[in-house]
């Protein structure tokens, strides 16, 4: 079983990318996980789409198609998801073979703020209704006060958050197994 992680932050010291890296360290048995890179994805332009998917988009689409499930870690920008993440989802969603259709997805997010990216995550849920993805309802992973939960090297050290992430990974693997039956 393979999971693909997508971080909605492009910065090197991103808490959200670090949270996905923490997931890679605590995967259920029999699960592998890689991270997508959305930095090279250009701004969406329908004229470009009509000439064919740019290489970076084609690669992202193939990674999504090949994954059994996705983990999407979103920062919260002005109570919503960052434009770079929405842009990558919009590109990847274009026909043919919309790759989010039926895909199990777990959402998480980290912020120095107190709301744990909850507002951004609920907006992401709405986007994935349009794309007919299967977003897990539980457990929810809202990492608030992030500077207190990661060390200076970007390792997630907060025991309660690690425990919650472990439950989310297990739930995602369970969902994939259910779909295979
Ligand atoms: C344009 C912008 C808007 C932001 N708005 C919010 C917000 O609405 N809520 C919040 O909790 N943090 C907000 N932040 C702070 C981000 O949560 C913070 O920069 C976080 O570290 C970004 O995630 P990253 O560490 O993965 O890059 C905002 C940051 C930026 C750059």
């Amino acid at each position: 079983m393979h999971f693909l992680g997508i971080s909605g932050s492009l910065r090197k010291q991103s808490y959200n990318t670090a949270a996905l890296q923490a997931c890679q360290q605590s995967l259920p048995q029999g699960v592998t996980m890689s991270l997508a890179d959305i930095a090279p994805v250009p701004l969406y332009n329908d004229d470009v789409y009509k000439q064919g998917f740019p290489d970076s988009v084609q690669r992202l689409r193939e990674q999504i198609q090949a994954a059994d499930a996705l983990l999407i870690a979103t920062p919260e920008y002005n109570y919503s998801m960052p434009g770079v993440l929405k842009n990558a989802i919009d590109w990847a969603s274009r026909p043919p073979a919309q790759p989010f259709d039926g895909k199990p997805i777990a959402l998480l997010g980290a912020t120095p703020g107190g709301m744990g990216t909850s507002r951004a995550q609920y907006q992401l849920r709405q986007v994935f209704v349009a794309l007919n993805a299967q977003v897990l309802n539980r457990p929810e992973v809202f990492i608030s006060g992030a500077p207190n939960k990661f060390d200076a090297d970007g390792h997630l050290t907060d025991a309660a958050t690690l425990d919650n992430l472990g439950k989310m990974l297990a739930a995602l693997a369970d969902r994939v197994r259910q779909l295979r039956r």
Side-chain angles (χ1 to χ4, degrees):
M1 192 184 298
H2 186 71
F3 293 170
L4 178 70
I6 301 175
S7 173
S9 175
L10 305 187
R11 73 186 189 97
K12 286 194 186 72
Q13 307 296 323
S14 161
Y15 292 117
N16 286 281
T17 304
L20 290 175
Q21 288 164 344
C23 291
Q24 287 181 299
Q25 300 307 315
S26 37
L27 292 169
Q29 207 158 19
V31 179
T32 57
M33 179 174 163
S34 57
L35 299 189
D37 180 12
I38 63 169
V41 174
L43 286 176
Y44 186 80
N45 182 331
D46 211 55
D47 296 334
V48 175
Y49 164 61
K50 285 180 176 133
Q51 292 160 19
F53 289 113
D55 290 347
S56 58
V57 175
Q58 185 60 31
R59 175 165 166 69
L60 179 64
R61 283 167 53 86
E62 287 169 6
Q63 288 177 308
I64 295 168
Q65 269 150 2
D68 294 294
L70 308 180
L71 287 124
I72 301 184
T74 184
E76 183 169 278
Y77 281 5
N78 297 320
Y79 292 11
S80 185
M81 74 205 77
V84 291
L85 179 58
K86 180 63 160 52
N87 181 64
I89 293 169
D90 289 342
W91 259 122
S93 72
R94 300 301 288 145
Q98 194 272 92
F100 297 105
D101 192 12
K103 188 74 69 180
I105 300 179
L107 301 181
L108 62 145
T111 170
M115 300 286 283
T117 74
S118 53
R119 295 161 293 209
Q121 288 191 41
Y122 281 108
Q123 294 206 345
L124 257 182
R125 284 181 184 273
Q126 184 179 324
V127 169
F128 285 122
V129 169
L131 298 175
N132 196 38
Q134 295 205 26
V135 179
L136 291 187
N137 289 331
R138 283 190 217 96
E140 295 178 302
V141 179
F142 301 132
I143 308 175
S144 57
N148 300 322
K149 293 178 178 165
F150 293 81
D151 67 19
D153 297 322
H155 298 115
L156 181 58
T157 51
D158 183 68
T161 306
L162 284 165
D163 185 57
N164 206 17
L165 279 180
K167 288 179 177 145
M168 188 186 65
L169 290 160
L172 194 59
D174 281 349
R175 176 65 63 87
V176 172
R177 279 187 217 104
Q178 275 167 19
L179 288 170
R180 284 178 176 174
R181 271 186 224 128

